[in-house]
Amino acid sequence: MSDKIWNTYKMEVNGLEREVRFSKNAVDKIFMPFLTNLTKLHGRLGRKMTAFIAAPPATGKSTLTLFLEKLSRETPELSPIRALGMDGFHHTNEYLKSHTTKTEDGKEVPLMSIKGAPETFDTDLLQTKLREVRQEGTDWNIYDRKIHDVVPNAISVEDEIILIEGNYLLLQDPHWTNIRTLADYTVFITADADFLKERLISRKVAGGMKREDAEKFYYASDSKNVETVLNNSGSADEIWKLTEDDDFEKIEE
């Protein structure tokens, strides 16, 4: 029987109030030291700064970064952070429907059919916004999950420490490596691929999809994105691992 101590927190995620659970050890030994490092780094830099949390799909990174924002704002000795996602930098649905790419077997398909893959993001715009947010601030794009599309310039960002989450922020790919240079501090979250597979399939089933269809979607789309992130992400300042009891542990190099 696990002797872990778990704490439950109430917070808003995607416009809905939810209860989330994190272990006391993760909060005390991973999250708080991470936020302390950001606070100290911000003091040394003397300017606005950005940090990245990169992770494969289904690792809970959106909820995690919102929790880290909450933790930073409720702890007096920490500098407050602002959590943002990179999903608002998908190309619009209109663009994805009107542009194509080639599959591994040479078949030409609309980008819409692989939405969520690295090539379906506007990396040039993301670079521009990252530069702006480290200077005067900027308006940030969001991804609206009700309309399943991008909303440009939806929120104003003037904060001093920005924490951005996304799948491909550390990807070793010509379209993404320049983005990595715009981070002052980075974290990569790893996980067992089979564990993520079941989480992704279960997520689709919970959303109303038949399990057979959810499995087909996983092999056609999600599995490739998981593999890309796990196998082709570059180095990070810290590596965390999502464990099968939904906890986090820090990987010491």
Side-chain angles (χ1 to χ4, degrees), residues 147-176:
I147 63 172
H148 300 286
D149 207 349
V150 172
V151 181
N153 303 320
I155 54 176
S156 177
V157 180
E158 305 291 339
D159 309 73
E160 288 291 313
I161 304 178
I162 309 299
L163 179 61
I164 301 169
E165 57 84 10
N167 294 333
Y168 308 119
L169 293 169
L170 298 179
L171 198 62
Q172 294 180 298
D173 175 277
H175 296 288
W176 291 89

Side-chain angles (χ1 to χ4, degrees), residues 38-57:
L38 295 190
T39 296
K40 291 178 178 178
L41 180 57
H42 178 245
R44 292 196 301 271
L45 292 173
R47 59 163 172 80
K48 293 177 184 286
M49 58 169 283
T50 53
F52 290 172
I53 291 186

Side-chain angles (χ1 to χ4, degrees), residues 188-207:
F188 181 71
I189 298 175
T190 187
D192 181 78
D194 287 336
F195 175 54
L196 296 179
K197 170 186 173 182
E198 185 53 41
R199 284 170 69 98
L200 285 160
I201 291 172
S202 297
R203 179 189 291 178
K204 292 288 190 302
V205 172

